Amino acid sequence: MTWPLEAVWEQSVALLPGLTAELLPEIDSTNSELMRRARAGQLDPVVLVAEQQTAGRGRLGRPWQSEPGASLTFSAGRVLEPRSWWGLSLAVGLAIAEALHPSIRLKWPNDLWVGEAKLGGILIETASAGPDSQARYAIVGVGLNVLPRPAHGLSTPPAFLQQVCPGMDAGAALLAVVPALVGALQRFEAEGFGPFHDAFARRDVLAGRPVRLSDGTEGVAQGVDGQGALLVHTAAGPVAVTSSEVSVRPAD
Ligand code: BTN
């Protein structure tokens, strides 16, 4: 497969001057690589694509498995100075879903779903951007299944992009997604989660469904608030879930 890296760069650099786009045949994890670079003082905006990750990481310390040609794995890094970081993964997920297909839905806080199966996930990490700065270097890692993959070891069955976008390969997905993602980061930095709220709500997998949180809380999901917190109606009353350490599953 040929990667449309030049086109990705051309369509994104106007939004983010100084951006570079880079492809690596193999790396442990694109997020880990950008974290190493940031800690070494390299804070320039970059999109780093890996054909193969040997130690891909998901949220909550989970591994992220991917196969060359059957997956899209990349990270975007840039200095970001939002007023609040709440809701960033929701804004990123929304930008990706909108760039790919109307039927892709979002499962708070960082998953892309097709039907009841997981199409992909987002892992956001940040590094210091200097001693005096409120800003941080944001590393936004995106993993998407492009072709079918084995379900063993996964808590949610896998979906794949070609279910909803027949013929779309990883390169075409990258070209669709990166300019949208870069634009969403700009908007999030300037305006926060607010402008993304209503469009997120239209794709919210959990809204109106019984859910169980990893801390044992059970209730009915009621959408997200203006900050991107998950609202859950429990027997003890309404709860706003903000912790990124909590995982949530439909319980119906
Ligand atoms: C999740 O669903 O828990 C998040 C998965 C994020 C995977 C992507 S693949 C590119 C980037 N590099 C990583 O090691 N992880 C993210």
Side-chain angles (χ1 to χ4, degrees), residues 8-79:
V8 167
W9 175 80
E10 272 172 14
Q11 292 189 22
S12 311
V13 71
L15 293 167
L16 192 50
L19 180 75
T20 56
E22 199 181 322
L23 173 69
L24 295 175
E26 187 178 299
I27 190 78
D28 54 350
S29 146
T30 52
N31 265 45
S32 301
E33 172 63 12
L34 291 191
M35 186 60 78
R36 286 190 290 269
R37 293 183 187 182
R39 288 182 177 148
Q42 291 180 48
L43 300 175
D44 299 321
V46 64
V47 173
L48 182 66
V49 186
E51 290 193 305
Q52 177 153 31
Q53 290 192 133
T54 55
R57 297 185 288 109
R59 274 179 75 237
L60 308 171
R62 297 177 183 137
W64 180 260
Q65 313 281 0
S66 56
E67 289 293 326
S71 315
L72 173 63
T73 51
F74 75 94
S75 300
R78 60 157 289 186
V79 172

Side-chain angles (χ1 to χ4, degrees), residues 84-92 188 193 196 227-229:
S84 160
W85 290 83
W86 288 117
L88 176 56
S89 68
L90 310 186
V92 167
F188 183 86
F193 177 66
F196 300 93
Q227 306 294 305

